[in-house]
Amino acid sequence: MKALFVHPGPLLYTKVFLRLEPLGLELVAEAARRAGHAVKLIDLQVEDHNDYHRLIAQWRPDFIAFSCNYLANVPEIIDLAKETKAVLPRSFICVGGHSASFTARAIIDHGEGAIDCVLKGEGEAGIITLMDAVAGDRASVAKSPGAVAADGEGPPPHFIHHLDDLRPDRDLLRHRRKYFIGILDPAASIEFSRGCPWDCSFCSAWTFYGRSYRLVSPERVVEDLMSIREPGVFIVDDVAFIHAKHGFAIGEAIARKDIRKKYYLETRGDVLLRNKEVFRFWKSIGLEYMFLGIEAIDEEGLRKFRKRVCVSKNLEALEFARSLGIEVAINIIADPDWGEERFATIREWCMEVPEIVNISINTPYPGTESWVTEERHLCTRDYRLFDIQHAVLPTELPLPVFYRELLETQRVLFRKHFNWRSALLAGSEALQLLMRGQTNFVRGMMLYNKTYNLEKMLSDHTQPVSYEIPLPPTDGESTLKPPARATNLYIHAPSERASRHIENSTEFGDAIGRM
Ligand code: B12
Ligand code: SF4
């Protein structure tokens, strides 16, 4: 079959701070290619809908697969599927990815016949069986593992056998120089591990992968890295280097091969403190930027999110990262019940720390525990607003005042960051980027005010809504109180505690862990 894999358009962040290669889709596409299908990939973060329609008209694929990691992309994907079905009525259209897995039935319903199937879970595992069913007996589609179709649902999705078996088809991308993260421009993405053994209430990484945590071997990582041409590398792992041994083994293999890259990764404060030597070593081989999900600066907030880490540990982690000379970005979650005073306190705190601070808004997501435990009612069901930059729960302050405070806080932080960047621009790195023809980073910075703008944020709430996110369940499940295990949220079934590869000291060892 001729199979087209499609990544939807840009998100708010993507326009300013980063735009990453669609690694998950490259992996799924490569699995299909290896099974003998002709494969193409289009990324609408860097191409537009006209390019998509032109490709559809010229190549006339039999199988079109959309990647839907983010809820905010759901309406775009549904409209594209409908437009495609109108011109290629015999094509088979499927949607997969993180968010699609948690909203599968709703996506089929919104599609009104245009979407033949949602494939839940890890795409590499399910795509071949699904494509075999499509090429052979379409009536058996609904029996494929992970498949949800109008006429039924298959058994739960399988895990792939081993992460080392996977290869992303990096050559499928037509505009590789368009991917960047901050000053790492251009940047490629790579995976060292998959899944997360923690269970924060606002996050769906653990419910998607059944709280499993699997590793790619150092040999395989190095092989993949050697095929990457970009000087910058974004490590996509939810929590990098949970296991010191694994982190060292990869780092040493990289040093032996003398691979020189600049890296960006995300991790937790407690992991950073527990594995200091690993991060120190990684600094010596090119680790330049790190993202720490701090989320709250008070114990109550951390407890609410079930981060299983305390404020003092997070602050100690920041100290340590600073001492290594790594540039750190952190995230703080603003709650819709915040008032002006709370924003002012956060602004003050953020100005005191040298880190780049990102502020997101507490947003319950399908697949997270907060989705079923949140007692406040959603004030919008527009998928496009579920991007943690818009308030989907009622705000205590009038909405325009809440956004004014939020944007003011973000702007203060951006200016703090941008001043520093401006200095760079005048002299060194950014200028070098421009001279090499890499304009992503500089262009992103220039789009900041246009993207993060009060009028625009407010008008986003008044747009006509074609598709509404389904409401959280009300039949008993919604009475779950943390730390109750929301077992029926899982996409991949959870495995035994022993297979989660996490040390007791991390999970249960401190005061927060027992709460
Ligand atoms: C990079 C990234 C981003 C980037 C995206 C940049 C870009 N597009 O250029 C940025 C920073 C913008 C971002 C933002 C957000 N992200 Co994010 N992000 C990631 C991250 C770190 C890596 C994604 C990745 O490449 N993964 C590796 C590949 C291999 O996995 P994958 O893409 O999921 O693909 C697999 C499956 O999903 C599936 N699949 C994917 N596509 C398809 C297609 C088909 C047809 C099929 C069958 C299967 C399939 O198969 C793939 C292979 O197994 C993940 C964490 C992670 N480790 O996955 C979080 C993650 C996806 N993000 C998440 C979240 C919550 C967000 C945010 C809401 C806030 C936040 N906490 O960061 C925002 C808001 C986005 C929005 N506006 O809606 C969640 C889940 C999203 C959700 N729907 O619940 C994740 C899992 C992180 C987490 N632990 O919370 N994110
Ligand atoms: S540690 Fe990070 S990835 Fe893991 S559950 Fe918590 S927020 Fe999600």
Side-chain angles (χ1 to χ4, degrees):
M1 278 196 295
K2 288 198 281 184
L4 176 64
F5 290 83
V6 188
H7 192 284
L11 308 167
L12 212 64
Y13 287 101
T14 326
K15 293 181 187 151
V16 180
F17 300 111
L18 75 166
R19 181 165 51 235
L20 296 171
E21 79 172 291
L23 185 64
L25 200 58
E26 287 171 5
L27 287 164
V28 183
E30 172 62 7
R33 201 189 56 79
R34 282 214 240 165
H37 299 285
V39 165
K40 283 187 196 261
L41 192 155
I42 183 164
D43 181 0
L44 302 177
Q45 298 180 103
V46 300
E47 297 196 57
D48 63 21
H49 285 199
N50 291 333
D51 297 319
Y52 169 81
H53 288 300
R54 210 171 301 123
L55 183 56
I56 288 283
Q58 283 166 0
W59 199 49
R60 302 184 69 81
D62 312 296
F63 184 94
I64 298 135
F66 290 93
S67 179
C68 181
N69 272 352
Y70 299 106
L71 288 172
N73 286 127
V74 167
E76 179 193 4
I77 290 173
I78 293 173
D79 285 340
L80 280 176
K82 287 180 178 173
E83 289 157 23
T84 308
K85 209 59 162 190
V87 291
L88 293 178
R90 291 168 61 81
S91 63
F92 185 93
I93 301 188
C94 130
V95 183
H98 200 100
S99 281
S101 300
F102 292 110
T103 52
R105 182 56 60 195
I107 288 183
I108 295 288
D109 293 346
H110 297 317
E112 297 170 324
I115 296 172
D116 297 289
C117 160
V118 170
L119 189 60
K120 297 195 287 183
E122 283 183 317
E124 308 93 334
I127 198 79
I128 309 303
T129 321
L130 176 69
M131 291 178 89
D132 286 348
V134 175
D137 170 19
R138 281 209 183 185
S140 67
V141 161
K143 295 190 189 117
S144 305
V148 176
D151 57 348
E153 192 165 335
H158 300 311
F159 276 126
I160 48 124
H161 187 60
H162 196 290
L163 294 185
D164 277 9
D165 299 339
L166 305 179
R167 300 278 178 283
D169 193 339
R170 297 182 186 276
D171 292 333
L172 282 175
L173 291 180
R174 301 197 283 191
H175 303 279
R176 287 206 65 94
R177 285 163 64 102
K178 293 271 185 192
Y179 302 101
F180 76 108
I181 178 158
I183 206 130
L184 298 189
D185 179 7
S189 296
I190 195 167
E191 196 177 30
F192 292 175
S193 69
R194 193 175 276 187
C196 176
W198 280 272
D199 59 351
C200 302
S201 58
F202 62 91
C203 177
S204 54
W206 58 282
T207 52
F208 187 79
Y209 289 116
R211 266 192 110 183
S212 64
Y213 179 65
R214 291 164 297 157
L215 305 173
V216 183
S217 74
E219 297 73 33
R220 173 71 201 110
V221 167
V222 164
E223 191 189 319
D224 198 9
L225 259 182
M226 289 189 0
S227 74
I228 290 177
R229 288 186 294 274
E230 288 80 356
V233 176
F234 175 75
I235 301 166
V236 300
D237 304 16
D238 280 310
V239 186
F241 305 146
I242 296 178
H243 291 295
K245 221 169 129 191
H246 185 240
F248 267 129
I250 297 176
E252 280 158 0
I254 289 173
R256 269 197 304 276
K257 293 273 181 199
D258 197 24
I259 300 173
R260 288 169 197 218
K261 304 271 185 203
K262 289 186 175 175
Y263 302 92
Y264 184 112
L265 59 75
E266 307 193 0
T267 194
R268 291 172 50 104
D270 51 357
V271 170
L272 177 61
L273 289 177
R274 188 155 46 86
N275 295 335
K276 282 180 177 170
E277 290 314 312
V278 181
F279 289 91
R280 205 188 303 281
F281 181 62
W282 267 81
K283 169 70 191 164
S284 74
I285 58 165
L287 176 59
E288 299 258 327
Y289 306 93
M290 181 187 290
F291 181 89
L292 285 177
I294 296 284
E295 329 300 4
I297 56 169
D298 61 310
E299 299 294 356
E300 200 203 324
L302 288 173
R303 207 169 9 249
K304 201 170 97 196
F305 299 136
R306 209 185 310 117
K307 273 301 279 191
R308 298 183 191 275
V309 67
C310 53
V311 174
S312 60
K313 276 249 184 266
N314 273 341
L315 296 178
E316 199 186 327
L318 289 180
E319 280 286 339
F320 175 68
R322 269 171 229 152
S323 76
L324 289 182
I326 292 174
E327 189 169 318
V328 183
I330 60 180
N331 187 59
I332 299 285
I333 304 178
D335 197 277
D337 71 7
W338 280 15
E340 278 146 308
E341 247 174 64
R342 187 66 186 266
F343 275 111
T345 314
I346 290 290
R347 270 197 294 270
E348 224 171 88
W349 182 82
C350 294
M351 289 308 286
E352 279 166 18
V353 296
E355 283 71 32
I356 302 159
V357 188
N358 176 55
I359 311 253
S360 57
I361 303 179
N362 185 10
T363 305
Y365 261 83
T368 64
E369 201 173 275
S370 337
W371 180 247
V372 287
T373 55
E374 177 57 62
E375 281 161 357
R376 291 168 287 186
H377 292 291
L378 296 172
C379 59
T380 171
R381 291 172 61 192
D382 185 347
Y383 286 96
R384 294 165 299 185
L385 301 183
F386 283 72
D387 64 352
I388 64 157
Q389 297 298 298
H390 290 85
V392 302
L393 292 171
T395 49
E396 285 288 324
L397 292 170
L399 191 62
V401 183
F402 179 82
Y403 277 149
R404 196 194 60 213
E405 286 293 321
L406 179 81
L407 289 172
E408 177 53 22
T409 311
Q410 285 172 333
R411 192 155 293 127
V412 166
L413 301 174
F414 179 76
R415 255 188 258 123
K416 168 179 115 174
H417 179 48
F418 192 62
N419 279 340
W420 179 83
R421 295 286 184 208
S422 321
L424 268 183
L425 188 62
S428 56
E429 290 192 61
L431 193 58
Q432 283 172 27
L433 290 179
L434 289 175
M435 285 168 68
R436 289 205 311 268
Q438 286 301 135
T439 55
N440 299 312
F441 166 71
V442 176
R443 194 174 292 177
M445 293 295 123
M446 290 166 85
L447 277 175
Y448 181 85
N449 282 332
K450 204 169 144 203
T451 311
Y452 289 87
N453 169 285
L454 181 61
E455 284 72 42
K456 188 188 165 297
M457 299 283 281
L458 289 172
S459 86
D460 290 343
H461 283 262
T462 60
Q463 299 304 311
V465 180
S466 306
Y467 310 108
E468 289 194 318
I469 194 166
L471 287 169
T474 49
D475 49 348
E477 228 184 335
S478 59
T479 56
L480 271 177
K481 290 278 177 288
R485 292 287 174 272
T487 44
N488 44 0
L489 294 175
Y490 288 115
I491 296 297
H492 285 281
S495 47
E496 292 298 306
R497 162 88 179 73
S499 68
R500 293 207 312 268
H501 299 287
I502 184 172
E503 283 122 39
N504 279 340
S505 61
T506 302
E507 197 174 12
F508 301 113
D510 57 37
I512 292 291
R514 284 192 294 275
M515 288 171 200

